[in-house]
Amino acid sequence: MERTLVFLKPGVLQRRIAGTILDRFERKGFRILALKLFRMDKALVEAHYAEHRGRDFYEKLVEYTLSGPVIAMVLEGPEVIALVRRMTGPTDIGESLPGTIRGDFACSTRLNIVHASDSPESAVREIPLFFKDEEICRWEDENARWY
Ligand code: CMP
């Protein structure tokens, strides 16, 4: 069983599509273990996107991520990291096919509306940046024993 960190970026709330995107993850069968709506502060944005520091898009990325509230979540499921990335589509919006979240709801790589951990190492690093351990709510899913 794996966990991944997902957050819906600023703009999703303004567009009133938060429920629509959350619905996709829920219907896929992942378990939501944590969920919160909040404004990321600069320290969190810089820690989260540390690997992109120095890239030409970095300053705008930080500014944009600070521009409004986000909805962050921890999802759990078998191979959830790779499966969620398949659902979001690639970071490059030109490669994101219709049917994926980015392919359906975004037209710009910067405004690609959702972040999802790209590897087990990223998930392990990112989840504690967003959630304290006591904010992660474990619950039983009877279907899970058939996975
Ligand atoms: P995300 O999955 O949150 O991880 C890093 C973010 O940087 C990415 O989504 C995009 O929002 C942004 N990003 C990555 N590459 C580019 C780019 N070439 N131009 C603009 N923004 C980018």
Side-chain angles (χ1 to χ4, degrees):
M1 201 62 85
E2 287 182 347
R3 290 180 184 178
T4 193
L5 185 280
V6 174
F7 72 84
L8 310 185
K9 299 187 180 185
V12 169
L13 278 172
Q14 290 155 12
R15 291 172 62 190
R16 314 296 201 268
I17 55 172
T20 302
I21 298 172
L22 202 53
D23 183 51
R24 290 194 178 199
F25 294 131
E26 238 197 331
R27 279 193 291 162
K28 179 78 174 167
F30 302 134
R31 230 185 296 198
I32 301 173
L33 298 189
L35 184 68
K36 67 177 168 187
L37 186 157
F38 72 116
R39 280 178 188 271
M40 293 171 69
D41 62 23
K42 199 161 189 216
L44 174 56
V45 174
E46 289 181 345
H48 176 71
Y49 284 131
E51 67 183 292
H52 298 298
R53 188 182 281 273
R55 307 280 296 274
D56 57 351
F57 58 82
Y58 177 77
E59 297 300 331
K60 279 270 197 282
L61 173 64
V62 172
E63 212 178 307
Y64 166 60
T65 311
L66 289 170
S67 70
V70 303
I71 297 176
M73 68 199 83
V74 176
L75 300 177
E76 186 176 72
E79 296 181 59
V80 67
I81 298 166
L83 289 175
V84 165
R85 292 285 293 190
R86 292 194 77 173
M87 291 175 76
T88 64
T91 304
D92 180 350
I93 215 66
E95 302 290 324
S96 283
L97 295 175
T100 64
I101 293 168
R102 287 168 174 159
D104 287 348
F105 298 108
C107 63
S108 144
T109 296
R110 183 171 301 128
L111 306 182
N112 63 1
I113 76 163
V114 61
H115 171 86
S117 306
D118 63 3
S119 66
E121 296 72 29
S122 298
V124 164
R125 186 182 74 81
E126 292 170 2
I127 290 170
L129 287 176
F130 284 77
F131 292 98
K132 299 187 190 104
D133 196 50
E134 60 267 28
E135 291 178 303
I136 298 176
C137 184
R138 293 148 190 88
W139 52 276
E140 292 308 314
D141 174 1
E142 281 300 305
N143 294 299
R145 67 193 173 108
W146 306 109
Y147 291 161

Coordinates of all heavy atoms in Angstrom, one line a residue, residues 7-94:
F7 N -2.1 18.2 -4.1 CA -2.8 19.4 -3.8 C -3.4 20.1 -5.0 O -2.8 20.0 -6.1 CB -2.0 20.4 -2.9 CG -0.9 21.1 -3.5 CD1 -1.1 22.3 -4.2 CD2 0.4 20.6 -3.4 CE1 0.0 23.0 -4.7 CE2 1.5 21.3 -3.9 CZ 1.3 22.5 -4.6
L8 N -4.6 20.6 -4.8 CA -5.2 21.3 -5.9 C -4.8 22.8 -5.8 O -4.9 23.4 -4.7 CB -6.8 21.2 -5.7 CG -7.3 19.8 -5.6 CD1 -8.8 19.8 -5.5 CD2 -6.8 18.8 -6.6
K9 N -4.3 23.3 -6.8 CA -3.6 24.6 -6.8 C -4.6 25.8 -6.8 O -5.7 25.6 -7.0 CB -2.6 24.7 -8.0 CG -1.6 23.6 -8.1 CD -0.6 23.8 -9.2 CE 0.4 22.7 -9.2 NZ 1.5 22.9 -10.1
P10 N -4.0 27.0 -6.4 CA -4.9 28.2 -6.5 C -5.6 28.3 -7.8 O -5.0 28.0 -8.8 CB -3.9 29.3 -6.2 CG -2.8 28.7 -5.5 CD -2.7 27.3 -6.0
G11 N -6.8 28.7 -7.8 CA -7.6 28.8 -9.1 C -8.6 27.7 -9.1 O -9.7 27.9 -9.7
V12 N -8.3 26.6 -8.5 CA -9.3 25.5 -8.6 C -10.6 25.9 -7.8 O -11.7 25.7 -8.3 CB -8.7 24.2 -8.0 CG1 -9.7 23.1 -7.8 CG2 -7.6 23.7 -8.9
L13 N -10.4 26.5 -6.6 CA -11.5 27.0 -5.9 C -12.3 28.0 -6.6 O -13.5 28.0 -6.7 CB -11.1 27.6 -4.5 CG -10.8 26.6 -3.4 CD1 -10.2 27.3 -2.2 CD2 -12.0 25.8 -3.0
Q14 N -11.6 29.0 -7.2 CA -12.3 30.1 -8.0 C -13.1 29.5 -9.1 O -14.1 30.0 -9.5 CB -11.2 31.1 -8.5 CG -10.6 31.9 -7.4 CD -9.2 32.5 -7.8 OE1 -8.8 32.4 -9.0 NE2 -8.5 33.0 -6.9
R15 N -12.6 28.4 -9.7 CA -13.3 27.8 -10.9 C -14.4 26.9 -10.4 O -15.1 26.3 -11.3 CB -12.3 27.1 -11.8 CG -11.4 28.1 -12.5 CD -10.2 27.4 -13.2 NE -10.8 26.5 -14.3 CZ -10.0 25.6 -14.9 NH1 -8.7 25.5 -14.7 NH2 -10.5 24.8 -15.8
R16 N -14.5 26.6 -9.1 CA -15.6 25.8 -8.5 C -15.5 24.3 -9.1 O -16.5 23.7 -9.4 CB -17.0 26.3 -8.8 CG -17.2 27.8 -8.6 CD -17.0 28.2 -7.1 NE -17.7 29.4 -6.8 CZ -17.1 30.6 -6.8 NH1 -15.8 30.8 -7.1 NH2 -17.8 31.7 -6.5
I17 N -14.2 23.9 -9.3 CA -14.1 22.5 -9.8 C -13.4 21.6 -8.8 O -13.0 20.5 -9.1 CB -13.3 22.5 -11.1 CG1 -11.9 23.2 -11.0 CG2 -14.2 23.1 -12.3 CD1 -11.1 23.0 -12.3
A18 N -13.2 22.1 -7.5 CA -12.6 21.2 -6.5 C -13.3 19.9 -6.3 O -12.7 18.8 -6.3 CB -12.5 22.0 -5.2
G19 N -14.6 19.9 -6.2 CA -15.4 18.7 -6.0 C -15.3 17.8 -7.2 O -15.2 16.6 -7.0
T20 N -15.2 18.3 -8.4 CA -15.1 17.5 -9.6 C -13.8 16.7 -9.6 O -13.8 15.6 -10.0 CB -15.2 18.4 -10.8 OG1 -16.4 19.2 -10.8 CG2 -15.1 17.7 -12.1
I21 N -12.7 17.4 -9.2 CA -11.4 16.7 -9.2 C -11.3 15.7 -8.1 O -10.9 14.6 -8.3 CB -10.3 17.8 -9.2 CG1 -10.4 18.7 -10.4 CG2 -8.9 17.1 -9.1 CD1 -9.5 19.9 -10.4
L22 N -11.8 16.1 -6.9 CA -11.8 15.2 -5.8 C -12.6 13.9 -6.1 O -12.3 12.8 -5.8 CB -12.4 15.9 -4.6 CG -12.1 15.4 -3.2 CD1 -10.6 15.3 -3.0 CD2 -12.7 16.4 -2.2
D23 N -13.7 14.2 -6.8 CA -14.6 13.1 -7.2 C -13.9 12.0 -8.0 O -14.1 10.8 -7.9 CB -15.8 13.7 -8.0 CG -16.8 12.6 -8.4 OD1 -17.2 11.9 -7.5 OD2 -17.1 12.6 -9.6
R24 N -13.0 12.5 -8.9 CA -12.2 11.5 -9.7 C -11.4 10.6 -8.9 O -11.3 9.4 -9.1 CB -11.4 12.3 -10.7 CG -12.2 13.0 -11.8 CD -11.3 13.4 -12.9 NE -12.0 14.0 -14.0 CZ -11.6 14.2 -15.2 NH1 -10.4 13.8 -15.6 NH2 -12.3 14.8 -16.2
F25 N -10.7 11.2 -7.9 CA -9.8 10.4 -7.0 C -10.6 9.4 -6.2 O -10.2 8.3 -6.0 CB -8.9 11.3 -6.1 CG -7.9 12.1 -6.9 CD1 -7.8 13.5 -6.7 CD2 -7.1 11.6 -7.8 CE1 -6.9 14.3 -7.3 CE2 -6.2 12.3 -8.5 CZ -6.1 13.7 -8.3
E26 N -11.8 9.9 -5.7 CA -12.6 9.1 -4.9 C -13.2 7.9 -5.7 O -13.2 6.8 -5.3 CB -13.7 9.9 -4.3 CG -13.7 9.9 -2.8 CD -15.0 10.4 -2.2 OE1 -15.7 11.2 -2.8 OE2 -15.4 9.9 -1.1
R27 N -13.7 8.2 -6.9 CA -14.4 7.2 -7.7 C -13.4 6.1 -8.1 O -13.7 5.0 -8.4 CB -15.1 7.8 -8.9 CG -16.4 8.4 -8.5 CD -17.2 8.7 -9.8 NE -16.6 9.8 -10.5 CZ -16.9 10.1 -11.7 NH1 -17.7 9.4 -12.5 NH2 -16.3 11.2 -12.3
K28 N -12.1 6.6 -8.3 CA -11.0 5.6 -8.7 C -10.9 4.5 -7.6 O -10.4 3.4 -7.9 CB -9.7 6.4 -8.9 CG -8.6 5.5 -9.3 CD -8.6 5.1 -10.7 CE -7.3 4.4 -11.1 NZ -7.5 3.7 -12.4
G29 N -11.2 4.9 -6.3 CA -11.2 3.9 -5.3 C -10.1 4.2 -4.2 O -9.9 3.4 -3.3
F30 N -9.4 5.3 -4.4 CA -8.3 5.6 -3.4 C -9.0 6.0 -2.1 O -10.1 6.5 -2.0 CB -7.4 6.8 -3.8 CG -6.7 6.5 -5.1 CD1 -6.7 7.5 -6.1 CD2 -6.1 5.3 -5.4 CE1 -6.1 7.2 -7.3 CE2 -5.5 5.0 -6.6 CZ -5.5 6.0 -7.6
R31 N -8.2 5.8 -1.0 CA -8.7 6.2 0.3 C -8.2 7.6 0.7 O -7.0 7.8 0.6 CB -8.1 5.2 1.3 CG -9.1 4.6 2.3 CD -8.4 3.7 3.3 NE -7.8 2.6 2.7 CZ -7.5 1.5 3.5 NH1 -7.7 1.5 4.8 NH2 -6.9 0.5 2.9
I32 N -9.1 8.5 1.0 CA -8.6 9.8 1.5 C -8.3 9.7 2.9 O -9.1 9.4 3.7 CB -9.7 10.9 1.2 CG1 -10.1 11.0 -0.2 CG2 -9.2 12.3 1.8 CD1 -11.3 11.9 -0.5
L33 N -7.0 10.0 3.3 CA -6.6 9.9 4.7 C -6.5 11.2 5.4 O -6.5 11.3 6.6 CB -5.2 9.2 4.8 CG -5.1 7.7 4.3 CD1 -3.8 7.1 4.7 CD2 -6.2 6.8 4.8
A34 N -6.3 12.3 4.5 CA -6.2 13.6 5.1 C -6.6 14.6 4.0 O -6.4 14.3 2.8 CB -4.7 13.9 5.5
L35 N -7.2 15.7 4.5 CA -7.7 16.7 3.5 C -7.8 18.0 4.2 O -8.4 18.1 5.3 CB -9.1 16.2 3.1 CG -9.9 17.0 2.0 CD1 -9.2 16.9 0.6 CD2 -11.3 16.5 1.9
K36 N -7.2 19.1 3.6 CA -7.4 20.4 4.2 C -7.3 21.5 3.1 O -6.6 21.4 2.2 CB -6.5 20.6 5.3 CG -5.0 20.7 5.0 CD -4.2 21.0 6.3 CE -2.7 20.8 6.1 NZ -2.0 21.0 7.3
L37 N -8.1 22.6 3.4 CA -8.1 23.7 2.6 C -7.3 24.8 3.4 O -7.7 25.1 4.5 CB -9.5 24.2 2.3 CG -9.8 25.3 1.3 CD1 -11.2 25.2 0.8 CD2 -9.6 26.7 2.0
F38 N -6.3 25.4 2.8 CA -5.5 26.4 3.5 C -4.6 27.2 2.5 O -4.5 26.8 1.4 CB -4.6 25.7 4.6 CG -3.4 25.0 4.1 CD1 -2.1 25.4 4.4 CD2 -3.6 23.8 3.3 CE1 -1.0 24.7 4.0 CE2 -2.5 23.1 2.8 CZ -1.2 23.5 3.2
R39 N -4.0 28.2 3.0 CA -3.1 29.0 2.2 C -1.7 28.5 2.6 O -1.3 28.6 3.8 CB -3.1 30.5 2.5 CG -4.3 31.2 1.8 CD -4.3 32.7 2.2 NE -5.5 33.3 1.7 CZ -5.5 33.9 0.5 NH1 -4.4 33.9 -0.3 NH2 -6.6 34.4 0.0
M40 N -0.9 28.0 1.6 CA 0.5 27.7 1.9 C 1.3 28.9 2.2 O 1.0 30.0 1.6 CB 1.1 27.0 0.6 CG 0.4 25.6 0.4 SD 0.9 24.9 -1.2 CE 2.7 24.5 -1.0
D41 N 2.2 28.9 3.1 CA 3.1 30.0 3.3 C 4.4 29.9 2.5 O 4.6 28.8 1.9 CB 3.3 30.3 4.8 CG 4.1 29.1 5.5 OD1 4.8 28.4 4.8 OD2 4.0 29.0 6.7
K42 N 5.1 31.0 2.5 CA 6.3 31.0 1.6 C 7.3 29.9 2.0 O 7.9 29.2 1.1 CB 7.0 32.4 1.7 CG 7.9 32.6 0.5 CD 8.2 34.1 0.3 CE 8.9 34.2 -1.1 NZ 9.9 35.2 -1.1
A43 N 7.5 29.6 3.3 CA 8.4 28.6 3.7 C 8.0 27.2 3.2 O 8.8 26.5 2.7 CB 8.5 28.6 5.2
L44 N 6.7 27.0 3.2 CA 6.2 25.7 2.7 C 6.4 25.6 1.2 O 6.8 24.5 0.7 CB 4.8 25.5 3.1 CG 4.1 24.2 2.6 CD1 4.8 22.9 2.9 CD2 2.6 24.1 3.1
V45 N 6.0 26.6 0.5 CA 6.1 26.6 -1.0 C 7.6 26.4 -1.4 O 7.9 25.6 -2.2 CB 5.6 27.9 -1.6 CG1 5.8 27.9 -3.1 CG2 4.1 28.0 -1.3
E46 N 8.5 27.1 -0.7 CA 9.9 27.0 -1.0 C 10.5 25.6 -0.7 O 11.3 25.1 -1.4 CB 10.7 28.1 -0.4 CG 10.4 29.5 -1.0 CD 11.2 30.6 -0.4 OE1 11.8 30.5 0.7 OE2 11.2 31.7 -1.1
A47 N 10.0 25.1 0.4 CA 10.5 23.7 0.8 C 10.0 22.7 -0.2 O 10.7 21.8 -0.7 CB 10.1 23.4 2.2
H48 N 8.7 22.8 -0.5 CA 8.1 21.9 -1.4 C 8.7 21.9 -2.8 O 8.9 20.8 -3.4 CB 6.6 22.2 -1.5 CG 5.9 21.3 -2.5 ND1 5.6 19.9 -2.2 CD2 5.3 21.5 -3.7 CE1 5.0 19.4 -3.3 NE2 4.8 20.4 -4.2
Y49 N 9.0 23.1 -3.3 CA 9.5 23.2 -4.7 C 11.0 23.4 -4.7 O 11.5 24.0 -5.7 CB 8.8 24.3 -5.4 CG 7.4 24.0 -5.9 CD1 6.3 24.8 -5.6 CD2 7.1 22.8 -6.6 CE1 5.0 24.5 -6.1 CE2 5.8 22.5 -7.0 CZ 4.8 23.3 -6.8 OH 3.5 23.0 -7.2
A50 N 11.7 23.0 -3.7 CA 13.1 23.3 -3.5 C 13.9 22.8 -4.8 O 14.9 23.5 -5.2 CB 13.7 22.6 -2.3
E51 N 13.5 21.7 -5.3 CA 14.3 21.1 -6.5 C 14.2 22.0 -7.7 O 15.0 21.9 -8.6 CB 13.8 19.7 -6.8 CG 12.4 19.7 -7.4 CD 11.8 18.3 -7.6 OE1 12.3 17.7 -8.6 OE2 10.9 17.9 -6.9
H52 N 13.2 22.9 -7.7 CA 13.0 23.8 -8.9 C 13.7 25.2 -8.7 O 13.7 26.0 -9.7 CB 11.6 24.0 -9.2 CG 10.9 22.7 -9.6 ND1 11.2 21.9 -10.7 CD2 9.9 22.0 -9.0 CE1 10.4 20.8 -10.7 NE2 9.6 20.9 -9.7
R53 N 14.2 25.4 -7.6 CA 14.9 26.7 -7.3 C 16.0 27.0 -8.4 O 16.7 26.1 -8.7 CB 15.6 26.7 -5.9 CG 16.1 28.1 -5.5 CD 16.8 27.9 -4.2 NE 15.8 27.9 -3.1 CZ 15.4 29.0 -2.4 NH1 15.7 30.2 -2.8 NH2 14.5 28.8 -1.5
G54 N 15.9 28.2 -9.0 CA 16.9 28.5 -10.0 C 16.4 28.3 -11.4 O 16.9 28.8 -12.4
R55 N 15.3 27.5 -11.6 CA 14.7 27.3 -12.9 C 14.0 28.6 -13.3 O 13.6 29.4 -12.5 CB 13.7 26.2 -12.9 CG 14.2 24.9 -12.4 CD 15.1 24.1 -13.3 NE 14.3 23.7 -14.5 CZ 13.6 22.5 -14.6 NH1 13.6 21.7 -13.5 NH2 13.0 22.2 -15.7
D56 N 13.9 28.8 -14.6 CA 13.3 30.1 -15.1 C 11.9 30.3 -14.7 O 11.4 31.4 -14.5 CB 13.5 30.3 -16.6 CG 12.8 29.1 -17.4 OD1 12.4 28.1 -16.8 OD2 12.7 29.2 -18.6
F57 N 11.1 29.2 -14.4 CA 9.7 29.4 -14.0 C 9.6 29.4 -12.5 O 8.4 29.6 -12.0 CB 8.9 28.2 -14.6 CG 9.4 26.8 -14.1 CD1 9.0 26.3 -12.9 CD2 10.2 26.1 -15.0 CE1 9.4 25.0 -12.5 CE2 10.6 24.8 -14.6 CZ 10.3 24.3 -13.4
Y58 N 10.7 29.3 -11.7 CA 10.5 29.2 -10.3 C 9.8 30.3 -9.6 O 8.9 30.1 -8.8 CB 11.9 28.9 -9.7 CG 11.9 28.8 -8.2 CD1 11.5 27.6 -7.5 CD2 12.3 29.9 -7.3 CE1 11.5 27.5 -6.1 CE2 12.3 29.8 -6.0 CZ 11.9 28.6 -5.4 OH 11.8 28.5 -4.0
E59 N 10.3 31.6 -9.8 CA 9.7 32.7 -9.1 C 8.2 32.8 -9.3 O 7.4 33.0 -8.4 CB 10.4 34.0 -9.6 CG 11.9 34.1 -9.3 CD 12.2 34.0 -7.8 OE1 11.4 34.4 -6.9 OE2 13.3 33.5 -7.4
K60 N 7.8 32.7 -10.6 CA 6.4 32.7 -10.9 C 5.6 31.6 -10.3 O 4.5 31.7 -9.8 CB 6.2 32.7 -12.4 CG 6.4 34.0 -13.1 CD 5.0 34.8 -13.1 CE 5.0 35.9 -14.1 NZ 5.7 37.1 -13.7
L61 N 6.2 30.4 -10.2 CA 5.6 29.2 -9.6 C 5.3 29.5 -8.1 O 4.2 29.2 -7.6 CB 6.6 28.0 -9.8 CG 6.1 26.7 -9.0 CD1 4.8 26.2 -9.6 CD2 7.2 25.7 -9.2
V62 N 6.3 30.1 -7.4 CA 6.2 30.4 -6.0 C 5.0 31.4 -5.8 O 4.1 31.3 -5.0 CB 7.5 30.9 -5.4 CG1 7.3 31.4 -4.0 CG2 8.5 29.8 -5.4
E63 N 5.1 32.5 -6.6 CA 4.1 33.6 -6.6 C 2.7 33.0 -6.8 O 1.8 33.3 -6.1 CB 4.5 34.6 -7.6 CG 4.1 36.0 -7.3 CD 4.6 36.9 -8.5 OE1 5.8 36.8 -8.9 OE2 3.7 37.6 -9.0
Y64 N 2.6 32.2 -7.8 CA 1.3 31.6 -8.2 C 0.8 30.7 -7.0 O -0.4 30.8 -6.7 CB 1.4 30.9 -9.5 CG 0.2 30.0 -9.8 CD1 -1.1 30.5 -9.9 CD2 0.3 28.6 -9.9 CE1 -2.2 29.7 -10.1 CE2 -0.8 27.8 -10.1 CZ -2.0 28.3 -10.2 OH -3.1 27.5 -10.4
T65 N 1.6 29.9 -6.5 CA 1.2 29.0 -5.4 C 0.8 29.7 -4.2 O -0.1 29.2 -3.4 CB 2.4 28.0 -5.1 OG1 2.8 27.4 -6.4 CG2 1.9 26.8 -4.3
L66 N 1.3 30.9 -4.0 CA 0.9 31.7 -2.8 C -0.3 32.6 -3.1 O -0.8 33.2 -2.2 CB 2.1 32.7 -2.5 CG 3.3 32.0 -1.8 CD1 4.5 33.0 -1.8 CD2 3.0 31.5 -0.5
S67 N -0.8 32.5 -4.3 CA -1.8 33.5 -4.7 C -3.3 33.2 -4.2 O -4.2 34.0 -4.3 CB -1.9 33.6 -6.2 OG -2.4 32.5 -6.8
G68 N -3.5 32.0 -3.6 CA -4.8 31.7 -3.1 C -4.8 30.4 -2.3 O -3.7 29.7 -2.3
P69 N -5.9 30.0 -1.7 CA -5.9 28.7 -1.0 C -5.7 27.5 -1.9 O -6.1 27.5 -3.1 CB -7.3 28.7 -0.3 CG -7.8 30.1 -0.5 CD -7.1 30.7 -1.7
V70 N -5.2 26.5 -1.3 CA -5.0 25.2 -2.0 C -5.8 24.2 -1.2 O -6.2 24.4 0.0 CB -3.5 24.7 -2.1 CG1 -2.7 25.8 -2.8 CG2 -3.0 24.4 -0.7
I71 N -6.1 23.0 -1.8 CA -6.7 21.9 -1.1 C -5.7 20.7 -1.2 O -5.4 20.2 -2.3 CB -8.0 21.5 -1.7 CG1 -9.0 22.7 -1.6 CG2 -8.6 20.3 -1.0 CD1 -10.4 22.4 -2.2
A72 N -5.2 20.4 0.0 CA -4.1 19.3 0.0 C -4.7 18.1 0.6 O -5.7 18.1 1.4 CB -3.0 19.8 0.9
M73 N -4.2 16.9 0.1 CA -4.7 15.6 0.6 C -3.7 14.6 0.6 O -2.7 14.7 -0.2 CB -5.9 15.2 -0.2 CG -5.6 14.9 -1.7 SD -7.1 14.9 -2.8 CE -7.1 16.7 -3.2
V74 N -3.9 13.6 1.4 CA -3.1 12.3 1.3 C -4.0 11.2 0.8 O -5.1 11.0 1.4 CB -2.5 11.9 2.7 CG1 -1.7 10.6 2.6 CG2 -1.6 13.0 3.2
L75 N -3.6 10.6 -0.2 CA -4.4 9.5 -0.8 C -3.6 8.2 -0.6 O -2.4 8.2 -0.7 CB -4.7 9.7 -2.3 CG -5.4 10.9 -2.7 CD1 -5.5 11.0 -4.2 CD2 -6.8 11.0 -2.1
E76 N -4.4 7.1 -0.3 CA -3.7 5.8 -0.1 C -4.3 4.8 -1.1 O -5.5 4.9 -1.3 CB -3.9 5.4 1.3 CG -3.2 4.1 1.7 CD -3.3 3.7 3.2 OE1 -4.4 3.3 3.6 OE2 -2.3 3.9 3.9
G77 N -3.5 3.9 -1.5 CA -4.0 2.8 -2.4 C -2.9 2.0 -3.0 O -1.7 2.5 -2.9
P78 N -3.1 0.9 -3.6 CA -2.1 0.2 -4.2 C -1.5 0.9 -5.4 O -2.3 1.4 -6.3 CB -2.7 -1.2 -4.6 CG -4.2 -0.9 -4.6 CD -4.5 0.3 -3.7
E79 N -0.2 1.1 -5.5 CA 0.4 1.9 -6.6 C -0.2 3.3 -6.8 O -0.3 3.8 -7.9 CB 0.3 1.1 -7.9 CG 1.1 -0.2 -7.8 CD 1.1 -1.0 -9.1 OE1 1.5 -0.4 -10.1 OE2 0.6 -2.1 -9.1
V80 N -0.7 3.9 -5.7 CA -1.4 5.2 -5.8 C -0.5 6.3 -6.4 O -1.0 7.1 -7.1 CB -2.0 5.6 -4.4 CG1 -0.9 6.0 -3.5 CG2 -2.9 6.7 -4.6
I81 N 0.8 6.2 -6.2 CA 1.7 7.3 -6.7 C 1.6 7.3 -8.2 O 1.3 8.4 -8.9 CB 3.1 7.1 -6.2 CG1 3.1 7.2 -4.6 CG2 4.0 8.2 -6.8 CD1 4.4 6.8 -4.0
A82 N 1.9 6.2 -8.9 CA 1.9 6.1 -10.3 C 0.5 6.3 -10.9 O 0.3 7.0 -11.9 CB 2.5 4.8 -10.8
L83 N -0.5 5.7 -10.2 CA -1.9 5.8 -10.8 C -2.4 7.2 -10.7 O -3.0 7.7 -11.7 CB -2.8 4.9 -10.0 CG -2.6 3.4 -10.2 CD1 -3.5 2.6 -9.2 CD2 -2.9 3.0 -11.6
V84 N -2.1 8.0 -9.7 CA -2.5 9.4 -9.6 C -1.8 10.2 -10.7 O -2.4 11.0 -11.3 CB -2.3 10.0 -8.2 CG1 -2.4 11.5 -8.2 CG2 -3.3 9.4 -7.2
R85 N -0.5 9.9 -10.9 CA 0.2 10.6 -11.9 C -0.4 10.3 -13.3 O -0.5 11.2 -14.2 CB 1.7 10.3 -12.0 CG 2.4 10.7 -10.7 CD 2.7 12.2 -10.7 NE 3.7 12.6 -11.8 CZ 4.2 13.8 -11.8 NH1 4.0 14.7 -10.9 NH2 5.1 14.1 -12.8
R86 N -0.9 9.1 -13.5 CA -1.6 8.8 -14.8 C -2.9 9.6 -14.9 O -3.3 10.1 -16.0 CB -1.9 7.3 -14.9 CG -0.6 6.5 -15.0 CD -0.9 5.1 -15.5 NE -1.3 5.1 -16.9 CZ -1.4 4.0 -17.6 NH1 -1.3 2.8 -17.0 NH2 -1.7 4.0 -18.9
M87 N -3.6 9.7 -13.8 CA -4.8 10.5 -13.8 C -4.6 12.0 -14.0 O -5.4 12.6 -14.6 CB -5.6 10.3 -12.5 CG -6.1 8.9 -12.3 SD -6.9 8.7 -10.7 CE -8.4 9.6 -10.9
T88 N -3.5 12.5 -13.4 CA -3.3 14.0 -13.6 C -2.8 14.3 -15.0 O -3.1 15.3 -15.6 CB -2.2 14.5 -12.6 OG1 -0.9 13.9 -12.9 CG2 -2.6 14.3 -11.2
G89 N -2.1 13.3 -15.7 CA -1.4 13.6 -16.9 C -0.1 14.3 -16.7 O 0.2 14.7 -15.5
P90 N 0.8 14.3 -17.7 CA 2.2 14.9 -17.5 C 2.2 16.4 -17.1 O 1.2 17.1 -17.4 CB 2.8 14.7 -18.9 CG 2.0 13.7 -19.6 CD 0.6 13.8 -19.0
T91 N 3.2 16.8 -16.5 CA 3.4 18.2 -16.1 C 3.3 19.1 -17.3 O 2.6 20.2 -17.2 CB 4.8 18.4 -15.4 OG1 4.9 17.5 -14.3 CG2 5.0 19.8 -14.9
D92 N 3.9 18.7 -18.4 CA 3.9 19.5 -19.6 C 2.5 19.5 -20.2 O 2.0 18.4 -20.6 CB 4.9 19.0 -20.6 CG 5.0 19.8 -21.9 OD1 4.1 20.6 -22.1 OD2 5.9 19.5 -22.7
I93 N 1.8 20.6 -20.2 CA 0.4 20.6 -20.6 C 0.2 20.1 -22.1 O -0.8 19.6 -22.4 CB -0.2 22.0 -20.3 CG1 -1.7 21.8 -19.9 CG2 -0.1 22.9 -21.5 CD1 -1.9 21.1 -18.6
G94 N 1.3 20.4 -22.8 CA 1.2 19.9 -24.3 C 1.1 18.4 -24.4 O 0.7 17.9 -25.4

